């Protein structure tokens, strides 16, 4: 297997890729917040939820990327609307404005905390400013978003809703040179359980854990990981990203987005505090 066998560009998302469910709380009067909505998994999740009829507040610091998400939702014929809300997740005022914008559009029921970033370095060499930035975006912002969104979800007519957090196989175990990312994902799993503990059964918390997904973030990691470990980019793909998995292909953003659709739906009413692991056997098998 060589890197030539992989298309390392993000796959085009089409309507056929999306899971669409019949759910009484998937209407244009029901609102979902999706962070990191300008690209990758966040973009796909925003589009998938809009395709299910929800009004979606897509939040990201990348305004141009958000416009692309709006266009993509239109291209796939989404029944719901994606509202772009430029948001710096490291700014508490921006996070509050994001939640307010969602609550103003209808019944805020769902939050998908997807925004993420990565930095590749060993622990002794890891810049603390990068550590702080990763933890602010990937753990503090989801905590604050949940804190602000939970009262709105509880204020709906039946108090039904869910907060879904984008975790990872790195929320279950550790590999080298990703210490901040691993720390954030482990913390996010704890936040998920805390939401479930306080949700009184109707306001659920869940997380989604996957292996490597064909996103811009992943593509950028290949070169960084190769440099840090002193191996070729081919070896990064074969040995690091897919070597331990039983699956031989990376997931697509749409496949991950569909997990959030299911997790938010009434079909997942018993998914509460738990983690949906779809990693191709990466963390559950070995040779």
């Amino acid at each position: 297997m060589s890197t030539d066998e992989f298309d390392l560009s993000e796959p085009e998302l089409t309507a056929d890729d999306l899971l669409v469910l019949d759910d009484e709380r998937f209407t244009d009067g029901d609102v979902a917040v999706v962070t990191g909505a300008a690209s990758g998994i966040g973009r796909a999740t925003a589009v998938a939820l809009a395709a299910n009829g929800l009004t979606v507040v897509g939040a990201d610091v990348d305004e141009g990327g958000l416009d692309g998400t709006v266009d993509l939702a239109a291209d796939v014929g989404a029944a719901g609307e994606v509202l772009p809300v430029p948001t710096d997740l490291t700014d508490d005022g921006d996070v509050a404005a994001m939640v307010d914008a969602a609550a103003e559009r209808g019944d805020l029921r769902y939050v998908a905390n997807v925004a993420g970033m990565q930095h590749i370095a060993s622990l002794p060499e890891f810049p603390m400013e990068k550590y702080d930035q990763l933890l602010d975006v990937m753990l503090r912002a989801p905590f604050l978003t949940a804190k602000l969104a939970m009262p709105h979800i509880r204020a709906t007519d039946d108090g039904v809703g869910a907060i879904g957090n984008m975790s990872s196989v790195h929320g279950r175990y550790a590999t080298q040179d990703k210490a901040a990312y691993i720390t954030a994902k482990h913390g996010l799993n704890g936040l998920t359980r805390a939401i479930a503990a306080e949700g009184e059964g109707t306001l659920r918390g869940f997380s989604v854990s996957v292996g490597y997904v064909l996103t811009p973030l992943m593509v950028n990691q290949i070169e960084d990981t190769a440099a840090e470990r002193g191996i070729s980019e081919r070896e990064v793909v074969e040995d690091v990203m897919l070597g331990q998995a039983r699956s031989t292909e990376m997931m697509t953003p749409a496949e991950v987005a569909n997990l959030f659709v299911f997790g938010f739906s009434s079909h997942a009413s018993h998914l509460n505090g738990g983690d949906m692991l779809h990693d191709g056997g990466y963390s559950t098998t070995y040779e």
Side-chain angles (χ1 to χ4, degrees), residues 11-225:
E12 180 181 355
L13 187 152
T14 69
D16 291 339
D17 298 321
L18 301 176
L19 175 68
V20 178
L21 300 174
D22 183 13
D23 195 292
E24 64 179 353
R25 297 184 188 88
F26 282 3
T27 73
D28 60 3
D30 297 305
V31 184
V33 170
V34 179
T35 69
S39 66
I41 295 169
R43 168 177 282 180
T45 301
V47 172
L49 294 174
N52 277 272
L54 290 161
T55 295
V56 179
V57 166
D60 203 291
V61 72
D62 178 4
E63 296 187 34
L66 286 177
D67 290 340
T69 301
V70 172
D71 292 341
L72 180 57
D75 289 345
V76 302
E81 183 181 6
V82 176
L83 304 171
V85 178
T87 306
D88 179 353
L89 292 173
T90 67
D91 184 311
D92 288 4
D94 271 18
V95 174
M98 170 189 76
V99 174
D100 287 345
E104 289 169 1
R105 289 304 298 248
D107 288 337
L108 173 54
R109 291 190 184 272
Y110 311 110
V111 174
N113 286 309
V114 179
M117 56 188 302
Q118 184 61 276
H119 186 80
I120 306 297
S122 66
L123 260 167
E125 302 297 327
F126 210 98
M128 287 310 298
E129 64 272 16
K130 281 295 183 182
Y131 174 90
D132 291 338
Q133 185 183 25
L134 263 73
L135 268 289
D136 281 349
V137 169
M138 296 168 59
L139 188 54
R140 189 181 189 281
F143 185 101
L144 178 58
T145 302
K147 168 185 167 67
L148 298 174
M150 287 175 74
H152 291 292
I153 298 172
R154 287 177 171 141
T156 60
D157 58 351
D158 53 13
V160 172
I163 297 175
N165 296 316
M166 187 71 240
S167 189
S168 167
V169 293
H170 287 102
R172 291 170 172 255
Y173 71 172
T175 57
Q176 65 189 58
D177 302 327
K178 297 181 179 180
Y181 188 89
I182 291 161
T183 300
K185 294 303 187 184
H186 275 73
L188 200 60
N189 289 347
L191 174 61
T192 297
R193 294 164 191 153
I195 293 167
E198 297 188 20
E200 301 176 344
T202 55
L203 196 171
R204 296 180 292 109
F206 67 90
S207 57
V208 172
S209 289
V210 299
Y212 291 91
V213 183
L214 274 171
T215 67
L217 180 66
M218 185 284 300
V219 173
N220 292 338
Q221 280 186 52
I222 294 175
E223 183 177 347
D224 292 344
T225 301

